[in-house]
Amino acid sequence: MARKKILLVDDSSTVLLLHRMMLSHCGYELVTARDGQEALDKVSAERPDLIFLDVLMPRMDGFQTCRALRARSETKDVPIILVTTRGEPHYVRQGFESGCTDYITKPFDGEELLAKVRGHLEEARPA
Amino acid sequence: MREQLHWENEALRAEMAVLRAENEQLRADERWRAQRQGLVEAELGHLVRLRVASQRLHETLHPLELLDILRDLLINLVGSETLGIFEREGTELVLRVSLGIDAERFRRLPLEVDGPIGHSARTGASWLEELMEAGSAQKRTDGPRACVPLRLGGHVLGMMVLFGLLPHKPRLAPEDRELLELLATEGGRALFCARGMAAGKPS
């Protein structure tokens, strides 16, 4: 069975490395992008099964990127998890309005991260 | 015939009781495994955080880049967006990198300054608010919540000061303390090496 592919979008090397270390040895294939524009450039070729999207990024923030991803046929149904340092309700609402599937607040623990990944990849699995 | 059916019925009942017991045992095993998996993943997550911090601290030999990496680690692994990172210059702490604070107010601090920053700088001991003051959340002012010296061999080379944590993070967890301790020692060692390289000689 093909490995599930996860696109990680974050301008922080720390967060990318943390995701990579947590997820790669659980059998997932990982692709990274440093900002929203790079993510949009990569999705057509990479076809990820799940996207982690940081909110505060240069060039194009996570909300804008999320809206742009939802407007594309190849990513309109892909689960998108926003990664944010802000857990306040209005930020969360803004995230859902931009089309995200779920969100996770930094700093997150490994257990929470793996639970989110498993949950959304299971939900996205075709019947 | 009737008696035989009775005995068959009894045998089936007994078999069902055994299956029920087995089923219950399997459920208990599953619950135990799920609990174990949670604990293992939590521990794995913590170890990965330490590993990430250690790896990132050795990515550069430029002092300012190193302090930027420290800032990134404090934001993304500890969960603070109001912080300052100082380098020691003689009898002063000089602010090099900051986020979300009035940098001018903290530009240069004498080591003799009152309060936890000065105390940590003089003694080399970390100061974490939650450990020092019971019920401190109510008493908090705009002072620091954690002062962690960057140290090597008993020498204080700098200081990480957290003035606040992210709104959804009420306090430092025991794992955060372990991570801060790693940043103090590994960060101190990395800063010493970077300074040596910047001065034109290997440390």
Side-chain angles (χ1 to χ4, degrees):
Chain A
M1 200 167 78
R3 291 198 300 162
K4 294 284 185 181
K5 191 183 280 186
I6 300 174
L7 172 62
L8 311 170
V9 191
D10 207 301
D11 61 326
S12 161
S13 300
T14 299
V15 176
L16 291 179
L17 185 60
L18 186 71
H19 272 98
R20 188 172 285 284
M21 285 190 180
M22 280 304 300
L23 298 174
S24 60
H25 68 158
C26 291
Y28 300 109
E29 186 180 345
L30 303 174
V31 181
T32 59
R34 301 303 297 247
D35 58 48
Q37 189 56 57
E38 192 183 339
L40 292 174
D41 294 342
K42 283 189 171 175
V43 286
S44 300
E46 298 290 350
R47 297 292 180 120
D49 299 293
L50 176 67
I51 299 171
F52 276 98
L53 190 57
D54 184 27
V55 173
L56 295 175
M57 292 184 293
R59 291 211 285 176
M60 183 185 277
D61 71 26
F63 299 134
Q64 293 170 307
T65 309
C66 195
R67 275 192 287 273
L69 287 166
R70 285 294 178 237
R72 291 185 171 200
S73 58
E74 68 267 32
T75 47
K76 70 180 170 55
D77 296 321
V78 174
I80 298 174
I81 302 176
L82 280 183
V83 183
T84 173
T85 53
R86 300 281 165 216
E88 294 96 317
H90 64 281
Y91 279 97
V92 175
R93 192 175 61 241
Q94 206 176 342
F96 283 112
E97 282 169 0
S98 72
C100 80
T101 316
D102 200 352
Y103 73 97
I104 187 169
T105 48
K106 296 181 191 177
F108 46 81
D109 61 47
E111 197 183 352
E112 187 184 7
L113 178 72
L114 290 173
K116 296 265 185 200
V117 169
R118 288 194 191 109
H120 288 290
L121 287 179
E122 283 294 314
E123 272 179 28
R125 181 178 290 173
Chain B
M1 179 70 178
R2 199 169 177 160
E3 197 168 332
Q4 190 182 343
L5 281 174
H6 172 75
W7 285 116
E8 273 179 17
N9 196 22
E10 283 305 306
L12 282 172
R13 278 177 199 276
E15 203 174 323
M16 267 179 68
V18 170
L19 286 172
R20 268 202 205 100
E22 274 179 17
N23 196 22
E24 195 48 50
Q25 185 59 48
L26 285 172
R27 281 176 200 275
D29 288 351
E30 193 182 329
R31 281 196 297 271
W32 182 83
R33 265 197 296 275
Q35 203 176 14
R36 280 294 303 160
Q37 185 177 350
L39 290 173
V40 168
E41 283 176 359
E43 184 62 19
L44 172 71
H46 176 51
L47 293 174
V48 164
R49 276 197 332 154
L50 296 177
R51 172 83 167 78
V52 165
S54 181
Q55 182 165 326
R56 292 233 58 215
L57 286 173
H58 294 91
E59 279 179 9
T60 182
L61 281 169
H62 295 96
L64 270 180
E65 280 180 17
L66 174 67
L67 298 180
D68 277 338
I69 288 173
L70 267 175
R71 174 172 56 181
D72 197 40
L73 292 169
L74 291 171
I75 296 168
N76 289 297
L77 298 188
V78 179
S80 172
E81 286 187 335
T82 43
L83 59 94
I85 304 176
F86 300 79
E87 266 194 281
R88 183 175 174 173
E89 274 185 12
T91 57
E92 285 183 323
L93 291 172
V94 181
L95 185 65
R96 297 283 189 227
V97 167
S98 66
L99 182 67
I101 61 169
D102 177 6
E104 215 37 60
R105 182 179 158 202
F106 295 99
R107 184 66 57 202
R108 284 179 174 273
L109 299 176
L111 291 186
E112 295 307 315
V113 66
D114 284 336
I117 299 178
H119 183 262
S120 280
R122 291 190 297 274
T123 62
S126 297
W127 179 91
L128 304 176
E129 181 194 54
E130 281 84 354
L131 290 183
M132 307 303 288
E133 298 170 24
S136 54
Q138 287 77 35
K139 289 190 259 169
R140 282 200 63 238
T141 58
D142 59 350
R145 299 195 64 181
C147 303
V148 182
L150 295 161
R151 55 183 187 266
L152 181 66
H155 297 277
V156 173
L157 308 176
M159 176 80 75
M160 298 175 286
V161 182
L162 306 184
F163 292 91
L165 299 172
L166 291 169
H168 56 274
K169 177 159 182 160
R171 66 184 65 81
L172 293 169
E175 294 80 10
D176 294 322
R177 292 169 192 156
E178 205 175 322
L179 175 63
L180 287 170
E181 213 39 45
L182 180 138
L183 295 180
T185 51
E186 291 289 313
R189 189 192 313 270
L191 183 59
F192 181 74
C193 294
R195 278 179 174 179
M197 289 299 286
K201 59 180 191 316
S203 300

